[in-house]
Amino acid sequence: MDLKDYREQIDRIDRTLLENLQERMRVAEGIAKYKLEHGMRVFDPVRERQKIEKLLWDSDEDLAYYNKILFTTIMEMSKDHQHKFLHEETETVHRIRDALRYSPKVFPRRAKVACQGVEGAYSQQACDRFFSMPQISYQKNFRGVFQAIQKGECDYGVLPIENSTAGSVNAVYDLMMEYHFNIVRSVRVKINHSLLAKPGTRKENIREIFSHPQ
């Protein structure tokens, strides 16, 4: 098999994991409602410890450590989800729920986002600060970000507008005027440039450096 075949297998397994995880969380909702009706607590340390021990006993030995992390995390998620169904519905809780339900969603947790650059670029770091679950489309240049939004391919664009060394990124401001887009949120990202070289390169032998003008 080649890399493509392995990746297709991983994608298939991930889809199955997602379906099973969501099914597990829905079952946890039923458990939460049962516990609420019978006055039981969400956290049952004895049951949880026994379950982890059984799962690890059935696990391949070389993967037991990773499986422990996985199922401990899943159980924490399950308990957190169950707690949503166990809070007493007081007047204050009702008011909070109504405020959350009817307040406009100013900024989504997930969105299709255009970024200038490539995977690992500073624009991606900024994007991950804005959105917890972004679907990122990488563009070759600033104009590509604006075009992706204009065409409806993306909902938001992440672009640099200020630089503590060089000042305003005028090209971006010019494109904002051209496309009539607005800034809806900003974030500061620390920029830490590095000099890349082949392994074994000695600094005294470097004669020419290629870089962005900044």
Side-chain angles (χ1 to χ4, degrees):
M1 293 196 302
D2 60 18
L3 182 59
K4 181 176 179 293
D5 296 322
Y6 285 118
R7 285 177 171 170
E8 287 177 350
Q9 283 191 12
I10 288 290
D11 290 343
R12 175 179 52 79
I13 294 169
D14 285 345
R15 285 193 296 271
T16 302
L17 286 173
L18 177 62
E19 293 171 359
N20 289 340
L21 177 60
Q22 292 185 153
E23 182 181 2
R24 191 186 195 283
M25 297 296 275
R26 298 306 178 196
V27 172
E29 294 175 7
I31 293 174
K33 293 173 183 176
Y34 179 91
K35 289 180 177 178
L36 180 61
E37 293 171 358
H38 294 79
M40 300 171 64
R41 297 175 58 189
V42 167
F43 182 41
D44 184 346
V46 176
R47 157 72 176 169
E48 188 168 308
R49 184 173 61 255
Q50 290 175 344
K51 186 166 182 59
I52 289 289
E53 289 177 354
K54 176 66 167 59
L55 288 167
L56 296 182
W57 184 262
D58 295 336
S59 171
D60 290 346
E61 186 173 351
D62 61 325
L63 299 177
Y65 172 75
Y66 304 109
N67 289 332
K68 182 177 181 180
I69 294 175
L70 171 64
F71 283 101
T72 300
T73 302
I74 289 175
M75 289 180 182
E76 289 297 325
M77 292 163 50
S78 177
K79 285 183 290 187
D80 181 74
H81 192 52
Q82 288 183 50
H83 275 297
K84 297 176 182 178
F85 297 87
L86 298 179
H87 292 308
E88 184 181 356
E89 291 295 327
T90 63
E91 179 62 27
T92 302
V93 171
H94 277 300
R95 290 171 61 187
I96 293 172
R97 288 190 188 280
D98 286 343
L100 291 172
R101 185 180 299 115
Y102 297 114
S103 295
K105 300 298 185 292
V106 179
F107 219 68
R109 295 178 61 207
R110 64 170 117 192
K112 293 181 179 179
V113 187
C115 288
Q116 185 270 327
V118 296
E119 182 84 23
Y122 291 113
S123 291
Q124 185 211 324
Q125 293 183 23
C127 181
D128 290 338
R129 296 269 296 276
F130 287 134
F131 304 94
S132 57
M133 293 178 284
Q135 181 178 336
I136 303 177
S137 172
Y138 294 101
Q139 308 296 321
K140 293 182 178 180
N141 49 46
F142 295 155
R143 184 175 292 277
V145 174
F146 284 86
Q147 291 177 340
I149 300 171
Q150 186 181 57
K151 294 175 183 177
E153 297 172 357
C154 294
D155 307 307
Y156 296 89
V158 177
L159 289 162
I161 57 173
E162 299 288 338
N163 185 293
S164 59
T165 302
S168 298
V169 184
N170 293 323
V172 173
Y173 283 108
D174 291 341
L175 287 165
M176 286 177 58
M177 296 295 292
E178 179 181 339
Y179 284 84
H180 304 290
F181 289 171
N182 298 314
I183 297 172
V184 294
R185 196 170 176 184
S186 64
V187 65
R188 292 176 180 268
V189 176
K190 182 181 179 182
I191 306 301
N192 182 25
H193 291 303
S194 300
L195 178 64
L196 304 181
K198 291 183 177 180
T201 301
R202 300 178 62 84
K203 189 166 66 174
E204 57 267 24
N205 294 332
I206 297 175
R207 293 291 179 267
E208 189 171 9
I209 296 175
F210 294 88
S211 172
H212 187 280
Q214 290 185 355

